[in-house]
Amino acid sequence: MGMTSIWHWLIVLLVVMLLFGAGRISGVMGDLGRGIKSFKKGLNEDDEPAAPRPQPRLSDERPAETPTTTAQPTADLDKR
């Protein structure tokens, strides 16, 4: 009476085949196979060492310094 009977699964498979048709199921399985192959290929590409990144060039030159201004004394506003 449980869901594990072989006859139950054969009837379910027959109903699915009648609803969707063999062509559509075949197409879905083909897409699933391509997806698995693509996934495996992606995993294999991750295993390969990555190309070394170019290091930024460090130069001994310092950036041009901007001239600094010194604070000029302001006139006393208290004198009137």
Side-chain angles (χ1 to χ4, degrees):
M1 198 80 193
M3 297 279 283
T4 58
S5 169
I6 187 70
W7 293 110
H8 174 78
W9 290 112
L10 287 175
I11 292 171
V12 169
L13 180 63
L14 179 67
V15 170
V16 168
M17 292 292 279
L18 288 174
L19 288 176
F20 294 110
R24 188 166 183 171
I25 293 174
S26 174
V28 169
M29 290 297 123
D31 291 342
L32 180 66
R34 282 191 292 276
I36 291 172
K37 285 180 184 179
S38 175
F39 179 74
K40 286 181 178 181
K41 182 180 177 184
L43 286 178
N44 289 336
E45 287 176 358
D46 287 344
D47 291 341
E48 295 173 2
R53 294 182 181 169
Q55 296 294 328
R57 292 183 13 185
L58 300 176
S59 63
D60 292 335
E61 298 176 17
R62 291 187 178 176
E65 294 183 19
T66 58
T68 57
T69 58
T70 56
Q72 299 294 327
T74 59
D76 269 337
L77 296 178
D78 291 334
K79 296 180 186 177
R80 290 188 194 181

